[in-house]
């Protein structure tokens, strides 16, 4: 009889352990998919913004033909942002793009006719809406990455999470904060 009780206790422990691993694995999958969804949202917003940028630049070019350097830096940064393969690459490209766009909009301030142009104002508003959506998508991504990373790093899921193929995710952070916080410099 005592042997039978020990067998049932051991069986109960194995079943509880299996249930725990099953629940933890499903939780990791759910968090991982949430982060993947958030990254997808970011890439959609980046693409939309990248599609708007050439229109904004064309509007400004008509007024500020001599500002070739500013346009080239935005074009280069846009290309880098579209070609980013990882969160770190995207964050680095975003910093450069935000700085370049700030310079383009600072240029626009110097041309009252451009500031009054309804097409430019519409593009500027769409770009601002895109930036707002992108900021929300970044926050959602970073929150999902934080939750997933926490679950991967905390006991007892840390014992098997990496063995099951779950990896810590990078946060979407601007790499050179000082660069984008500095006001764009415009010379005439």
């Amino acid at each position: 009889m005592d042997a039978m009780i020990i067998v049932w206790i051991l069986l109960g422990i194995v079943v509880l352990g299996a249930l725990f691993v099953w629940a933890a694995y499903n939780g990791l999958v759910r968090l991982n998919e949430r982060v993947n969804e958030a990254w997808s949202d970011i890439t959609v917003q980046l693409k939309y913004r990248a599609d708007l940028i050439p229109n904004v630049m064309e509007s400004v070019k008509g007024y500020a033909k001599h500002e070739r350097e500013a346009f080239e830096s935005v074009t280069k940064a846009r290309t880098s942002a579209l070609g980013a393969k990882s969160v770190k690459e995207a964050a680095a490209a975003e910093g450069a793009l935000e700085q370049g766009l700030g310079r383009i909009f600072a240029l626009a301030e110097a041309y009252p006719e451009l500031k009054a142009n309804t097409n430019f104002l519409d593009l500027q508003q769409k770009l601002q809406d895109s930036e707002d959506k992108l900021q929300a998508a970044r926050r959602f991504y970073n929150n999902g990455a934080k939750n997933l990373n926490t679950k991967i790093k905390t006991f007892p899921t840390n014992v098997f999470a990496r063995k099951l193929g779950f990896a810590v995710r990078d946060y979407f952070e601007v790499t050179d904060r000082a660069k984008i916080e500095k006001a764009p410099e415009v010379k005439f």
Side-chain angles (χ1 to χ4, degrees):
M1 191 72 152
D2 288 333
M4 193 62 157
I5 292 174
I6 292 173
V7 168
W8 281 107
I9 290 173
L10 290 175
L11 186 60
I13 290 171
V14 168
V15 167
L16 285 174
L19 285 173
F20 169 77
V21 170
W22 173 72
Y25 177 80
N26 285 344
L28 286 165
V29 167
R30 203 171 10 266
L31 289 171
N32 195 54
E33 287 305 309
R34 186 176 300 150
V35 173
N36 289 341
E37 174 192 18
W39 180 247
S40 177
D41 288 348
I42 287 174
T43 58
V44 166
Q45 292 304 322
L46 290 174
K47 175 75 171 106
Y48 177 72
R49 184 182 66 183
D51 291 345
L52 286 174
I53 290 171
N55 296 329
V56 170
M57 289 188 355
E58 283 303 315
S59 294
V60 176
K61 273 183 185 177
Y63 293 89
K65 294 178 180 167
H66 60 281
E67 289 296 328
R68 197 177 99 216
E69 181 185 321
F71 299 121
E72 287 174 357
S73 71
V74 170
T75 301
K76 182 179 175 187
R78 177 182 177 267
T79 302
S80 294
L82 285 174
K85 301 289 185 219
S86 70
V87 175
K88 284 186 178 182
E89 287 177 15
E94 284 302 295
L97 187 56
E98 287 175 15
Q99 184 181 25
L101 284 173
R103 192 162 173 214
I104 294 292
F105 285 117
L107 276 173
E109 291 294 318
Y111 297 94
E113 312 86 41
L114 177 59
K115 286 184 359 184
N117 181 301
T118 56
N119 185 39
F120 177 74
L121 292 174
D122 181 52
L123 288 169
Q124 193 174 24
Q125 181 59 48
K126 285 180 181 176
L127 199 54
Q128 184 58 51
D129 289 345
S130 173
E131 290 295 328
D132 293 343
K133 289 175 184 173
L134 190 52
Q135 289 298 327
R138 287 176 187 153
R139 284 191 301 274
F140 184 69
Y141 171 84
N142 282 341
N143 185 53
K146 177 192 68 142
N147 293 336
L148 178 63
N149 293 348
T150 300
K151 189 149 186 150
I152 288 172
K153 292 177 180 180
T154 56
F155 183 79
T157 52
N158 67 338
V159 174
F160 60 86
R162 292 177 197 249
K163 291 175 184 157
L164 294 174
F166 295 97
V168 171
R169 297 293 188 97
D170 291 326
Y171 290 106
F172 196 110
E173 299 175 308
V174 176
T175 53
D176 193 354
R177 188 122 204 77
K179 209 176 205 181
I180 66 166
E181 288 178 351
K182 181 183 171 197
E185 190 175 305
V186 179
K187 297 176 185 170
F188 293 102

